[in-house]
Amino acid sequence: MKTTNFPSFNTYNNAVTVKLNRPQVRNAINAKMWREIGEVFRTLGSDIDECRCILLVGEGKSFCSGIDIGDESFGFMDANDLNDANKNESDVARKYLSFRSKILEMQACLTSIEECPVPVVAAIHGACIGAGIDLSCCADVRLCSTTAKFSVREARLGLAADVGTLQRLPKICGHGSRIRELCLTGEDFDAKEALRVGFVSRVEEDVFGAAMEVCERIALNSPVAVQGTKFSLNYSRDHSVQEGLEHIAMHNSAALMTDDLMASVMASSTGTEGNFKHMMPQARL
């Protein structure tokens, strides 16, 4: 699969690498790229049977420098001229209801990363600003280079972040004072601070190699077990402990019948890699 902003997928040991591919603007996300993010992760999560883990990286010098505010499709250039259909409409309520659907669509594109059945590992280098934080918050695992720079930049640009950072970052790092400070001030923070607050797992000189190693280790496990683990982690994050326990009990009532269970036990006892069948594509109408 090829798109303008994403190169063709590169699969190695059942790990698929996806690159943000606008290096000339430090991978700032324009409207086309935004839509493609949703398309790519919905496809990888449902139709690519050899995909067991996804490595998300940025081409060039940065992971992602944020939203491309020069793209008029986002409606930033003139608040009174959001699109051709409502530029002559003076009713604020109608403008609000018109623009709300665009924000929801943008949220859904990034949420496709979080909802992708297979784990997503983000390897962050250089700038990870604004929408870059939104994007990486949706990944399951984040590693960064020693040179990575982060910022929840939206407050400094005159808006509240509205596509996921304010909802996901506190659940990743906690609702404490430091996270609120970073969101309210829009200040830059470095790799050491990202590690200290728990936004990244670790800081690596060779972040791409280290992140690929994580992907390969995940891909060695039963895809049934890995997908069930991701489902349960995401569900439990948003529900009570008791609800999470009931959810995994229901899931495992069926999932424990997989052949992968015996294959995993045999692999563990013999010190070999498990031989697991690929997952079936997700059924659709």
Side-chain angles (χ1 to χ4, degrees), residues 172-174 178-179 182 189 192-200:
I172 294 168
C173 302
R178 180 56 175 155
I179 296 304
L182 292 172
F189 59 102
K192 290 182 179 180
E193 183 71 349
L195 178 64
R196 190 188 71 80
V197 300
F199 186 61
V200 298

Side-chain angles (χ1 to χ4, degrees), residues 133-180:
I133 298 282
D134 292 303
L135 190 67
S136 52
C137 277
C138 296
D140 298 284
V141 179
R142 289 163 296 278
L143 283 71
C144 75
S145 70
T146 56
T147 60
K149 296 293 183 184
F150 303 86
S151 176
V152 184
R153 187 64 60 84
E154 285 83 353
R156 287 166 58 182
L157 299 178
L159 70 154
D162 57 6
V163 289
T165 289
L166 300 184
Q167 292 70 39
R168 293 187 175 100
L169 184 61
K171 290 194 173 184
I172 294 168
C173 302
H175 288 263
S177 174
R178 180 56 175 155
I179 296 304
R180 286 176 175 258

Side-chain angles (χ1 to χ4, degrees), residues 6 20 29 32-42 109-110 112-113 135:
F6 284 90
L20 306 175
I29 308 177
K32 177 175 173 55
M33 187 180 194
W34 206 291
R35 290 189 297 268
E36 288 178 342
I37 288 171
E39 294 167 4
V40 163
F41 282 93
R42 282 188 287 268
C109 288
L110 298 191
S112 68
I113 301 172
L135 190 67

Side-chain angles (χ1 to χ4, degrees), residues 68-272:
D68 186 350
I69 60 175
D71 187 340
E72 295 183 5
S73 300
F74 290 123
F76 291 133
M77 302 307 291
D78 187 348
N80 295 315
D81 186 14
L82 297 179
N83 56 53
D84 292 338
N86 69 7
K87 64 182 179 180
N88 294 319
E89 177 60 65
S90 60
D91 190 302
V92 173
R94 284 174 169 78
K95 287 186 177 181
Y96 148 72
L97 291 170
S98 173
F99 198 61
R100 177 177 179 271
S101 61
K102 182 180 293 186
I103 296 175
L104 292 175
E105 181 183 4
M106 293 170 68
Q107 291 174 349
C109 288
L110 298 191
T111 297
S112 68
I113 301 172
E114 183 176 74
E115 293 180 345
C116 183
V118 299
V120 178
V121 177
I124 302 167
H125 74 294
C128 182
I129 307 296
I133 298 282
D134 292 303
L135 190 67
S136 52
C137 277
C138 296
D140 298 284
V141 179
R142 289 163 296 278
L143 283 71
C144 75
S145 70
T146 56
T147 60
K149 296 293 183 184
F150 303 86
S151 176
V152 184
R153 187 64 60 84
E154 285 83 353
R156 287 166 58 182
L157 299 178
L159 70 154
D162 57 6
V163 289
T165 289
L166 300 184
Q167 292 70 39
R168 293 187 175 100
L169 184 61
K171 290 194 173 184
I172 294 168
C173 302
H175 288 263
S177 174
R178 180 56 175 155
I179 296 304
R180 286 176 175 258
E181 180 183 0
L182 292 172
C183 293
L184 292 167
T185 64
E187 73 173 81
D188 295 349
F189 59 102
D190 61 14
K192 290 182 179 180
E193 183 71 349
L195 178 64
R196 190 188 71 80
V197 300
F199 186 61
V200 298
S201 301
R202 57 184 189 267
V203 179
E204 298 281 355
E205 290 287 346
D206 178 15
V207 67
F208 303 115
M212 177 55 77
E213 182 183 355
V214 173
C215 288
E216 291 174 359
R217 286 164 52 202
I218 291 171
L220 286 174
N221 293 328
S222 157
V224 173
V226 168
Q227 289 194 21
T229 298
K230 177 168 179 174
F231 290 155
S232 185
L233 285 170
N234 284 351
Y235 184 90
S236 297
R237 176 195 62 191
D238 299 326
H239 295 80
S240 69
V241 171
Q242 186 58 42
E243 288 169 328
L245 289 170
E246 292 172 0
H247 175 266
I248 194 60
M250 182 176 296
H251 173 84
N252 268 2
S253 295
L256 288 177
M257 299 179 188
T258 178
D259 294 337
D260 289 7
L261 188 61
M262 183 57 66
S264 296
V265 172
M266 291 296 295
S268 179
S269 63
T270 60
T272 59

